[in-house]
Amino acid sequence: MTEIVLAHLSDPHLSHDKLYLPPAALLNKRALSQLSWRRKRRFLHVGAMLDRVVADLRATAPDVVALTGDLTNLGLPVECRQAADWLRHAMPAQTVAIPGNHDMLVRERWPDSLGLWAPWMAPTPDDFPFVRRVGPLALIGVNSARPMPWFSAAGRVGLPQADRLAAILHDTGRQGLCRVVLIHHPPVAGIVPRRKALLDRALFADAIARAGAELVLHGHSHVSGLSSLPGPLAPVPVLGVASASMRSERPARAAAWQQIRISTTERGFHIEVRRRIFRPDRPVLALAPMIFTSYRTPSPI
């Protein structure tokens, strides 16, 4: 395969209003998230917006979909089961997912919660980062979601995972693959406040700086945008995307997905990103493409 079409979406926040929530399961940090959902967020994360995004995405028949976290709102096992059904029936078969902070608000038994997403994700917490290869593309899933104290939506990667990430990037780079890293929390400073930030982003940035990558995709901020991280030879583009279910008139915050067309060249990869934005009662807003060029030059780890 000399060309791959990758679709990126994030933060669908599937509604749990029709699910039974055991009262005892809310006697923790989830109580705050449930209050926020009932008072505000359920009016912002709208199923009709998500349906429009998914229908548009499916119509383009991408080779693979990258979903960068927050499928749920409270991380309850019943929500994880609902999300698994949604992944199975609503999303293309070739979908790769990672968890977000809402998916791990508090500790749950992995087999009863995120373990249900094993067909689309790493089978156990110890298997991050994981790699899914599609032709010349290597999707590398990182887990930045950790149970955090009350009032914190921050994340961590941890030194062991960061070291494994650097090794995976080095190995896939030597194979000449296009390395796209998936992480929920933005790995660049200033995109979100500290209480929502990747607290050890220096570890992640160091892995990228040492071993390189072609692209980093994230969610969490609910804002579509472009930033970068230093790479061994050139800056590495970092792309965020708004929540796929967000009802907003503001283009940067409105529900969106990104079509990423990756073509192999004699020296590396040509990457073309087209963002598609969905506002209430308006036609799709298709932005001009962003173009990136990457060269296959393995770097020392």
Side-chain angles (χ1 to χ4, degrees), residues 170-241:
H170 180 68
D171 183 56
T172 50
R174 289 179 63 87
Q175 295 176 49
L177 300 177
C178 181
R179 301 159 297 172
V180 177
V181 183
L182 314 180
I183 186 169
H184 181 66
H185 291 78
V188 177
I191 295 178
V192 293
R194 179 173 171 78
R195 76 175 189 87
K196 297 183 178 182
L198 184 65
L199 299 179
D200 56 358
R201 62 178 176 269
L203 292 177
F204 182 90
D206 180 66
I208 299 296
R210 281 191 286 157
E214 278 58 62
L215 201 61
V216 176
L217 304 179
H218 72 82
H220 189 52
S221 65
H222 294 183
V223 177
S224 297
L226 170 66
S227 52
S228 66
L229 285 172
L233 298 176
V236 175
V238 177
L239 288 169
V241 70

Side-chain angles (χ1 to χ4, degrees), residues 5 22 64 84 104 112 162 170 183 208 218 243 274:
V5 178
V64 62
M104 296 187 72
D112 299 332
H170 180 68
I183 186 169
I208 299 296
H218 72 82
S243 162
R274 295 179 182 269

Side-chain angles (χ1 to χ4, degrees), residues 17-77:
D17 286 342
K18 295 182 180 180
L19 302 178
Y20 172 71
L21 309 183
L26 302 181
L27 299 178
N28 47 43
K29 183 183 174 182
R30 288 189 178 117
L32 288 178
S33 287
Q34 176 66 353
L35 179 62
S36 173
W37 174 260
R38 296 300 300 174
R39 294 182 63 181
K40 179 181 178 181
R41 294 178 59 251
R42 66 191 177 115
F43 303 110
L44 299 176
H45 296 286
V46 180
M49 300 304 299
L50 178 60
D51 290 344
R52 286 183 63 193
V53 168
V54 171
D56 188 70
L57 181 155
R58 292 188 68 106
T60 68
D63 295 297
V64 62
V65 177
L67 177 52
T68 48
D70 275 0
L71 283 72
T72 73
N73 295 292
L74 308 176
L76 285 163

Side-chain angles (χ1 to χ4, degrees), residues 14 64 73 82 92 94 114 116 124-125 151 154 160 171 176 183 191 203 209-210 239 254-255 291 295:
L14 300 170
V64 62
N73 295 292
Q82 175 183 254
Q94 189 76 290
L114 295 183
L116 300 172
T124 76
F151 306 107
D171 183 56
I183 186 169
I191 295 178
L203 292 177
R210 281 191 286 157
L239 288 169
I291 307 295
Y295 298 105

Side-chain angles (χ1 to χ4, degrees), residues 149-179:
W150 290 58
F151 306 107
S152 174
R156 292 186 185 276
V157 171
L159 182 58
Q161 189 179 191
D163 284 343
R164 291 194 297 271
L165 173 62
I168 288 171
L169 288 170
H170 180 68
D171 183 56
T172 50
R174 289 179 63 87
Q175 295 176 49
L177 300 177
C178 181
R179 301 159 297 172

Side-chain angles (χ1 to χ4, degrees), residues 3 6 11 79 99 101 123 142 144 186 206 233 238 250 277 289 295:
E3 181 178 272
L6 166 66
D11 298 76
E79 289 182 283
N101 60 294
V142 174
S144 63
D206 180 66
L233 298 176
V238 177
R250 298 166 58 186
I277 298 171
Y295 298 105

Side-chain angles (χ1 to χ4, degrees), residues 248-263:
S248 176
E249 294 289 349
R250 298 166 58 186
R253 287 194 170 273
W257 72 279
Q258 303 186 116
Q259 183 190 63
I260 305 170
R261 193 175 297 273
I262 302 168
S263 304

